[in-house]
């Protein structure tokens, strides 16, 4: 017979407590009608907005998860790769193009230039960081590169503050993302839809790249076992650099998509999305590519729907301010009950 | 060889950053006001001993001693970096101009030590500790943001350092229950500003259903609450009273919630990043077309209009009434333009100028000067002198401190954003 375990009891009480709060909140919302009265279209708006924010988290989370996959380190400077791409492409490409009137005349061409410059900058920053800050520490204890990553993150933040100043930068408005688009009689923001679609395409492309190409196979081999990969003739350093390049490109794409939706940037813009994307990567199971995508989408949606669904029914004032509480409660829950993340089983067992 | 090339690349990057920083360096604040011109060599030998006998500190909480030839040191703690820097730099320029115009006090020049409070509680705490640990600082002009002012006033008041804020407006700072004894302000109390906006919305615009948003900071929450109470008292209805994180990226869910409540106006007295995000997003949410937008002095800056673009057009912003129309202001504006090459970027430069003059005049009135030029400033005496300020003619009006440290002559103007600029449309005096 199994011995009675206090920890199990506490965990069960915790589970029941959370379920109780959720049910109580939803009862308050739907049966007692506390708070605002939402229509189906309002709920869909919450959902789509969350999905669009979630796709950005997912794109950034992919970079975290890939680097973790090959190096077993949390690259806290990843949010700065995202910021570097967005800021540089805005200041050096988007704003000059807008002033010259190109954004209005050739919106698609301008957009392409902005995407290219953002990806290029993010990749450059990532490769430099890897080469200068991480590679010399490849064989150091695991805590050392982690602290270095935090240092690199501050370095890039203040580097770009020095370059572009610390005030808010506006991102130009693109005519094709302005306004709404109707699906099945419901209106959606064009910008949100564009972000969701682009992210899906990029994520699908990444999955194909990692599963189908030779380089992708090399990345997976290095993630599996570096020594064995070296014996098989894989250039480990090169593969790690490629991993950083791929992760940073997605951060660059996310940077431009972020600018399109939220249209304002400054040098600390990478911090919060970086932390959220890290959360998303852990939620989905760090090291797993589909896990990061799923975790990001899940986090974005729960942040948007959670406050009106759970908190408003409880009569919490200013519920939207507390969306981070919901996001991080989800993280704690996942870490307690499923430490390997939503779909991180196989990898986590080996690397824990 | 390869190692060298990576190193060179890093150095090049650093050089690039340095060049960029250097380029913007001339807009950075000048902290040293004037060179220490006090030349006391001819009086110094006449009475070292006499001075020591003559000047004794009998102040309840201690004195600051300024040696002959040394400057009198005051500090500023304003938000001079980050997205709200236009607010703090503008005030800092006001402080610098006041110091420049004052020249010397009894043979001592005045030196400014500029600190940054970052517009948040942590920044206020850091700046406060730095100032409190320096015994030569006589007084502080700051903070810009009420959120930073709350912790900072507790820290500097424990050392008895006088603190005058040019732009804290949260009611809590001068509330008899929570005010620190060394705290004063020349900015209006938001009890006045929130009321002004409520009256404008209800009486002038004729709107009866409003929503209010704050970010949990004492300034924004205080102002939103005052607006709510005044609006309900006037007979209006607050259909939603919401909060959002100051560093939020996605405000669509928030605005969808608000839209479901059906307001005719959204009032969001927050700072620039969240303010411009709400402004831009509100125009795209179903059910918020044609809903009027209103904010407060935290966003009254060209930076806000730049960041919000066309979406800000037509929105209402309350703030101090800058139609001062006195001679001091005309001279001030000329000096401002000449020294910094720009128009004022925020509404509180005049309050900062008045706050600095209030502090310097109080120093002048309580300072004891010895025969050798040594100056003793009693801290309690200084606080008493500031608090008894009455009928001082400043740019912002007639400045008189009440027993809670509110010294402003509050006049509020509601402006509308028209063609990218703030044009005053209505003014209010309690």
């Amino acid at each position: 017979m199994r011995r009675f375990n206090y920890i199990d009891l506490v965990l069960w009480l915790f589970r029941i407590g959370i379920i109780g709060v959720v049910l109580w909140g939803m009862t308050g919302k739907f049966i007692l009608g506390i708070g605002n009265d939402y229509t189906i279209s309002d709920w869909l708006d919450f959902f789509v907005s969350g999905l669009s924010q979630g796709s950005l988290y997912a794109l950034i989370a992919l970079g975290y998860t890939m680097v973790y996959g090959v190096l077993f380190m949390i690259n806290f400077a990843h949010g700065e790769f995202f910021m570097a791409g967005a800021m540089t492409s805005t200041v050096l490409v988007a704003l000059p193009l807008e002033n010259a009137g190109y954004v209005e005349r050739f919106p698609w061409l301008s957009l392409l230039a902005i995407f290219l410059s953002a990806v290029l900058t993010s990749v450059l920053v990532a490769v430099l960081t890897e080469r200068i800050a991480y590679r010399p520490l490849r064989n150091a204890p695991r805590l050392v590169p982690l602290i270095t990553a935090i240092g690199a993150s501050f370095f890039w933040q203040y580097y770009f503050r020095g370059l572009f100043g610390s005030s808010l930068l506006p991102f130009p408005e693109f005519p094709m993302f302005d306004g709404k688009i109707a699906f099945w009689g419901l209106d959606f923001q064009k910008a949100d839809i564009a972000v969701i679609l682009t992210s899906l395409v990029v994520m699908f492309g990444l999955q194909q790249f990692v599963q189908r190409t030779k380089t992708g196979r090399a990345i997976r081999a290095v993630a599996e076992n570096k020594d064995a990969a070296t014996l098989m003739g894989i250039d480990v350093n090169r593969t790690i650099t490629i991993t950083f390049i791929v992760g940073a490109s997605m951060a660059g794409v996310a940077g431009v998509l972020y600018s399109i939706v939220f249209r304002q940037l400054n040098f600390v813009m990478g911090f919060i999305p970086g932390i959220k994307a890290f959360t998303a990567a852990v939620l989905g199971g760090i090291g797993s590519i589909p896990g990061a995508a799923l975790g990001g989408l899940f986090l974005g949606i729960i942040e948007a729907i959670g406050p009106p669904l759970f908190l408003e029914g409880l009569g919490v004032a200013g519920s939207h301010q507390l969306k981070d509480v919901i996001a991080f409660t989800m993280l704690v829950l996942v870490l307690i009950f499923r430490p390997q993340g939503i779909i991180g089983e196989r990898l986590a067992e080996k690397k824990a | 060889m390869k190692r060298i090339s990576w190193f060179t690349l890093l150095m090049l990057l650093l050089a690039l950053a340095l060049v960029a920083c250097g380029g913007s360096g001339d807009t950075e604040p000048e902290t040293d006001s004037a060179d220490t011109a006090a030349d006391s060599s001819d009086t110094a030998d006449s009475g070292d001993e006499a001075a020591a006998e003559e000047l004794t500190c009998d102040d309840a909480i201690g004195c600051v001693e300024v040696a002959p030839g040394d400057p009198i040191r005051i500090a500023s703690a304003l938000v001079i970096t980050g997205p709200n820097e236009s607010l703090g730099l503008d005030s800092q320029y006001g402080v610098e101009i006041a110091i420049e115009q004052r020249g010397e006090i009894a043979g001592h020049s005045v030196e400014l030590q500029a600190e940054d409070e970052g517009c948040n509680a942590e920044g206020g705490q850091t700046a406060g500790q730095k100032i409190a640990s320096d015994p030569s600082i006589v007084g502080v002009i700051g903070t810009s943001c009420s959120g930073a002012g709350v912790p900072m006033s507790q820290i500097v008041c424990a050392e008895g350092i006088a603190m005058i804020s040019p732009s804290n407006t949260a009611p809590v700072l001068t509330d008899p229950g929570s005010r620190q004894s060394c705290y004063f302000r020349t900015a209006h109390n938001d009890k006045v500003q929130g009321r002004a906006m409520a009256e404008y919305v209800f009486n002038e615009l004729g709107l009866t259903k409003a929503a209010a948003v704050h970010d949990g900071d004492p300034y924004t929450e205080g102002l939103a609450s005052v607006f709510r109470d005044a609006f309900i008292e006037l007979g209006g209805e607050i259909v939603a009273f919401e909060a959002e994180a100051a560093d939020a990226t996605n405000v669509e869910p928030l605005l969808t919630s608000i839209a479901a409540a059906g307001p005719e106006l959204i009032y969001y007295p927050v700072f620039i990043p969240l303010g411009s995000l709400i402004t831009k997003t509100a125009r795209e949410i179903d059910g918020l077309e044609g809903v009027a937008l209103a904010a407060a002095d935290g966003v009254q800056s060209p930076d806000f209009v730049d960041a919000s673009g066309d979406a800000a057009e037509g929105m209402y912003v309350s703030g101090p009434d800058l139609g001062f129309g006195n001679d001091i202001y005309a001279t001030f504006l000329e000096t401002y333009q000449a020294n910094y090459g720009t128009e004022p970027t925020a509404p509180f430069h005049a309050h900062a100028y008045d706050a600095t003059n209030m502090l310097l005049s109080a120093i002048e009135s309580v300072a004891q000067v010895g025969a050798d030029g040594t100056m003793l400033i009693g801290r309690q005496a200084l606080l008493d002198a500031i608090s008894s300020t009455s009928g001082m003619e400043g740019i912002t009006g007639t400045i008189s401190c009440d027993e809670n440290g509110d010294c402003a002559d509050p006049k509020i103007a509601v402006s509308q954003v028209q063609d990218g600029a703030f044009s005053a449309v209505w003014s209010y005096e309690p």
Side-chain angles (χ1 to χ4, degrees), chain A residues 300-318:
Chain A
I301 292 168
I302 200 81
E303 272 189 7
I305 287 194
L309 189 60
F310 307 136
L311 295 181
E312 235 177 64
L314 294 172
V316 176

Side-chain angles (χ1 to χ4, degrees), chain B residues 215-237:
Chain B
D215 70 9
D217 172 271
Y219 158 73
T220 75
E221 187 168 1
L223 197 43
S225 308
V226 172
F227 172 81
R228 174 190 60 193
D229 298 344
F231 198 68
I232 291 172
E233 195 190 309
L234 289 167
E237 189 194 348

Side-chain angles (χ1 to χ4, degrees), chain B residues 191-225:
Chain B
K191 285 181 181 162
V192 181
Q193 184 177 207
R195 169 119 212 140
M197 188 48 107
E199 291 204 4
Y200 181 71
V201 172
F202 192 81
N203 295 333
E204 305 294 317
L205 298 178
L207 305 177
T208 55
K209 288 203 265 178
V213 181
H214 65 85
D215 70 9
D217 172 271
Y219 158 73
T220 75
E221 187 168 1
L223 197 43
S225 308

Side-chain angles (χ1 to χ4, degrees), chain A residues 141-162:
Chain A
R142 280 169 77 171
L143 202 55
V144 175
L146 183 79
I147 305 292
T148 310
I150 296 173
S153 164
F154 279 114
F155 172 81
W156 287 119
Q157 270 183 28
Y158 286 90
Y159 182 77
F160 281 94
R161 173 174 182 265

Side-chain angles (χ1 to χ4, degrees), chain A residues 244-321:
Chain A
F244 270 89
I245 291 176
V246 173
S249 324
M250 277 175 305
V253 171
V256 179
L257 294 177
Y258 176 98
S259 314
I260 289 172
V261 185
F262 302 121
R263 294 211 305 277
Q264 63 185 28
L265 308 93
N266 76 340
F267 72 103
V268 287
M269 66 183 277
F271 181 69
I272 294 285
I275 293 289
K276 293 291 177 64
F278 169 61
T279 309
V282 175
L283 266 180
I286 190 135
S288 148
I289 289 174
L294 202 74
L297 294 178
F298 180 70
L299 189 67
I301 292 168
I302 200 81
E303 272 189 7
I305 287 194
L309 189 60
F310 307 136
L311 295 181
E312 235 177 64
L314 294 172
V316 176
S319 56
H320 283 286
Q321 195 185 17

